[in-house]
Amino acid sequence: MMDDYNEKVIDNFRNPKNMGSMDNPDAEGEVGNPTCGDIMKVFLKIDNNIIKDIKVKTFGCVAAIATSSKMTELALGKTLEEAKDLTRDMVAKELGGLPAQKMHCSNLSVEALHKAIDNYQKKHMTKEHTTD
Amino acid sequence: MKVYLDNGATTMTDPQVSDTMAKYFTEVYGNASSLHSFGKSAKEALDISRRIIADSFNADSREIIFTSGGTESDNLAIKGVARALKDKGNHIITSKIEHPAVLNSCKSLEKEGFRITYLDVDENAFIDLNQLKESITAETILVTLMHANNEVGTIQPIRRIGQICKDNNIIFHTDAVQSYTKVDIDTKKIPVDLISISSHKIHGPKGVGALYIKKGTPLTKLSDGGSHEFDVRAGTENISGIVGFAKSVDLSTPEHIKLQNRLKDQLIDGIQRSIPDTVLNGPRDNRLCSNINISFRYIEGESLLMHLDMKEIAVSTGSACSSKKLEPSHVLLAMGIRPEHAHGSIRFTISRFTTKEEIDYTIDTLKPIVEKLRAISPLK
Ligand SMILES: Cc1ncc(COP(=O)(O)O)c(C=O)c1O
């Protein structure tokens, strides 16, 4: 199983970027559950529709940690629309590929990102409505 | 420091074993079935080796069959007895925590029309003797229950299991691959009909094992071929491997068990003292001297394993993420351990070559890795 990870994946696992929590995030998104063995929680700072800061907390295997880290690098500095266009495949591709059985359960961080953005946009939509 | 703590998976071949084996490739290379001197020398080595294994069980030489390993021994015992007794009954009892060699042998017998009962285990992986008794029917022909579990080291009460089987006139097979040379089985005192063992778990070469078959036990052979091994297991004997296996049995002493028990306690106590939120999986007593299985809460086993591997410490995990099927260990789940704890389980298996310094190094190395992974865990 271990040989299936390429060096890029191992490198991102070994030195993950943007890991940890954030004070007063503008949005949060969490996916996964303890039973399946992978949980990711994303925190965002958003300014003028742009992701100014991103942090992620990950419970999971080597692939889960590596993809979480890579996702944060891809999302940082993007507009919310650009970030919503990010896919699992793009993250996996940036890492030079993942073992087939890790594509689904462990490569969830993009979903956590999208959930955070959705939460943010819902919050803002309701705000707009109340001012109407 | 390179630290190998995966001796449950396989062990280093003892250099004394490989030295002993060498001449059986280049000098004593005859076929044990041949009538000439080359064959006779091989036969002699085979007989001596068989005697050594037989003695370890207080058994007769003719009750030992050499095989290609634990997997084949389990297959031969379970399928061999089931097929030999299929006119007598179609029910087999095993447990939920057996090695795949046993579980999948039973699964394939299900397809042949046998009915299998998979006994539950408690939180420490012990079977319930009452459930065993209640599961027995007039159709029961075989009970197959492992002696010691490979994942959590639980040692089953095989004397009592054997007695229940004997009282009910049912054949009892035990997979003793993990316990062999660590927990004695005297076949004159413990009622057991078949015992599977494997060489590579005890510092012998890989690809060799044996099956103890009590005299008179009905058994249908699996592979057709010559009449080797008392016409139970066909194929030219792997003399060098068999000699190496016997040598590894000769080299094991009670001192090694004491040493491993000390190191086991050192590792369990050391981890629990220095790292919070850790749980020992499996019992503290009636546990194999070589097995330590600990769940590190809030983190996932494969990640921990990989970080340890970078520090040259080799362990294994019951985490789903490390298995091809992406399911947590069937043993831990049968014990009722919550999936998130099963995910964070690490198995450390020591050997007679493990040192106190290696255990110290492992404890010291674990602490910062666990802290680092917990710092990024959303569960913590
Ligand atoms: C309990 C148990 N049974 C059977 C086996 C299979 O033995 P072998 O590797 O010799 O086929 C193993 C080893 O993985 C084991 O731990």
Side-chain angles (χ1 to χ4, degrees), chain B residues 85-192:
Chain B
L85 293 181
K86 67 172 189 294
D87 293 332
K88 202 169 160 244
N90 75 337
H91 181 227
I92 296 166
I93 300 173
T94 185
S95 80
K96 291 183 177 165
I97 60 159
E98 300 297 315
H99 188 272
V102 169
L103 284 178
N104 291 333
S105 290
C106 289
K107 292 254 160 67
S108 86
L109 286 174
E110 275 178 342
K111 291 194 196 110
E112 291 179 27
F114 290 90
R115 192 171 69 79
I116 317 285
T117 297
Y118 299 90
L119 297 180
D120 300 315
V121 294
D122 68 13
E123 70 278 9
N124 283 324
F126 291 105
I127 64 144
D128 175 356
L129 294 174
N130 285 325
Q131 194 192 15
L132 168 61
K133 281 184 210 159
E134 287 157 11
S135 302
I136 294 171
T137 71
E139 290 286 310
T140 311
I141 50 171
L142 173 68
V143 169
T144 172
L145 291 169
M146 71 199 319
H147 189 201
N149 181 266
N150 44 306
E151 291 189 32
V152 293
T154 305
I155 302 168
Q156 303 293 341
I158 60 160
R159 180 190 300 270
R160 294 164 74 190
I161 293 169
Q163 196 57 49
I164 292 168
C165 295
K166 193 176 174 195
D167 293 346
N168 288 279
N169 212 0
I170 297 165
I171 307 262
F172 173 41
H173 164 249
T174 192
D175 175 337
V177 167
Q178 289 287 335
S179 62
Y180 186 50
T181 68
K182 298 186 176 77
V183 189
D184 271 346
I185 301 179
D186 181 336
T187 56
K188 296 279 185 303
K189 294 192 179 133
I190 293 178
V192 51

Side-chain angles (χ1 to χ4, degrees), chain A residues 38-80:
Chain A
D38 289 288
I39 304 175
M40 287 123 188
K41 190 167 183 179
V42 169
F43 306 88
L44 298 177
K45 276 258 196 287
I46 296 164
D47 189 18
N48 215 355
N49 206 44
I50 287 173
I51 297 176
K52 287 285 183 197
D53 194 10
I54 179 166
K55 285 274 187 302
V56 62
K57 284 191 125 186
T58 301
F59 166 81
C61 62
V62 172
I65 291 174
T67 52
S68 296
S69 167
K70 185 50 75 185
M71 176 280 293
T72 63
E73 290 183 297
L74 292 176
L76 190 63
K78 293 245 176 5
T79 67
L80 298 186

Side-chain angles (χ1 to χ4, degrees), chain B residues 58-73:
Chain B
N58 195 12
D60 192 86
S61 269
R62 295 183 60 92
E63 296 176 307
I64 303 299
I65 301 299
F66 287 108
T67 66
S68 64
T71 300
E72 186 191 337
S73 296

Side-chain angles (χ1 to χ4, degrees), chain A residues 114-125:
Chain A
H114 293 169
K115 214 163 175 179
I117 295 173
D118 280 347
N119 288 342
Y120 178 81
Q121 291 180 327
K122 263 186 227 147
K123 206 164 68 186
H124 281 254
M125 291 237 283

Side-chain angles (χ1 to χ4, degrees), chain B residues 8 97 121-126 146-156 178 264 268 279-295 316 318 329-335 337 342 345-349:
Chain B
I97 60 159
V121 294
D122 68 13
E123 70 278 9
N124 283 324
F126 291 105
M146 71 199 319
H147 189 201
N149 181 266
N150 44 306
E151 291 189 32
V152 293
T154 305
I155 302 168
Q156 303 293 341
Q178 289 287 335
K264 174 179 74 173
I268 296 173
V279 195
L280 179 70
N281 296 315
R284 189 74 200 236
D285 299 322
N286 291 313
R287 182 184 195 110
L288 223 49
C289 60
S290 50
N291 178 294
I292 298 103
N293 187 312
I294 290 185
S295 281
S316 70
S329 140
H330 69 288
V331 176
L332 297 178
L333 292 185
M335 291 160 71
I337 290 174
S345 74
I346 294 286
R347 182 186 73 167
F348 309 85
T349 38

